[in-house]
Amino acid sequence: MVLRPLSSGRFAVMAATTNSVEQVAGAKSAPSPNVPLELGQPPVIEGFAPRSRARDEGFMDKFARKTKENPFVPLGCLATAATLTYGLISFKQGKTRQSQLLMRGRIFAQGFTVVAIVVGVAAAALKPKQ
């Protein structure tokens, strides 16, 4: 790497190639062009357009965005928590039949939530990039 001054008062880093490695290996390759690289700017890469940084989003902003993307996951979580809570209350009150039914309902709600997560991930993976 060679540091060369620019007319703007900045320095540019120039890529320098050595022929000794190429001669030892016996490979014939085109030398890389000397492309100026400004130290204060990101490098220019052909075929790559960097995105602007995403704004910092808080918990509620992220939760609202994720809920809009896949509303069935929070619904499944709420259903799981509700059936679990009601099932534990029923168990404490001695209603074993109702408690068993609610625990089975909890398993169904958990399965629904897992399926919603998998479908959401698959939909996000198949969505075209913008």
Side-chain angles (χ1 to χ4, degrees), residues 34-72:
N34 291 335
V35 180
L37 176 69
E38 292 188 33
L39 295 177
Q41 300 293 325
V44 178
I45 302 171
E46 186 177 329
F48 176 73
R51 292 184 183 180
S52 63
R53 288 192 175 167
R55 63 179 175 84
D56 292 332
E57 60 182 344
F59 174 76
M60 290 306 293
D61 295 332
K62 186 174 183 178
F63 182 76
R65 181 175 55 86
K66 293 286 188 177
T67 301
K68 287 178 186 175
E69 289 176 5
N70 193 354
F72 295 111

Side-chain angles (χ1 to χ4, degrees), residues 2 4 32 39 42-43 46 50 59 62-63 80 99 109 112 123 130:
V2 178
R4 295 196 181 165
S32 63
L39 295 177
E46 186 177 329
F59 174 76
K62 186 174 183 178
F63 182 76
T80 301
S99 176
F112 175 80
Q130 293 181 4

Side-chain angles (χ1 to χ4, degrees), residues 40-118:
Q41 300 293 325
V44 178
I45 302 171
E46 186 177 329
F48 176 73
R51 292 184 183 180
S52 63
R53 288 192 175 167
R55 63 179 175 84
D56 292 332
E57 60 182 344
F59 174 76
M60 290 306 293
D61 295 332
K62 186 174 183 178
F63 182 76
R65 181 175 55 86
K66 293 286 188 177
T67 301
K68 287 178 186 175
E69 289 176 5
N70 193 354
F72 295 111
V73 173
L75 289 175
C77 291
L78 287 174
T80 301
T83 54
L84 175 64
T85 303
Y86 193 47
L88 289 174
I89 292 170
S90 297
F91 180 73
K92 186 177 179 183
Q93 292 174 349
K95 301 175 185 176
T96 56
R97 173 92 173 124
Q98 185 178 10
S99 176
Q100 279 294 319
L101 289 174
L102 288 167
M103 289 301 118
R104 290 177 188 162
R106 177 188 57 89
I107 299 298
F108 174 76
Q110 282 179 315
F112 175 80
T113 305
V114 169
V115 169
I117 290 170
V118 169

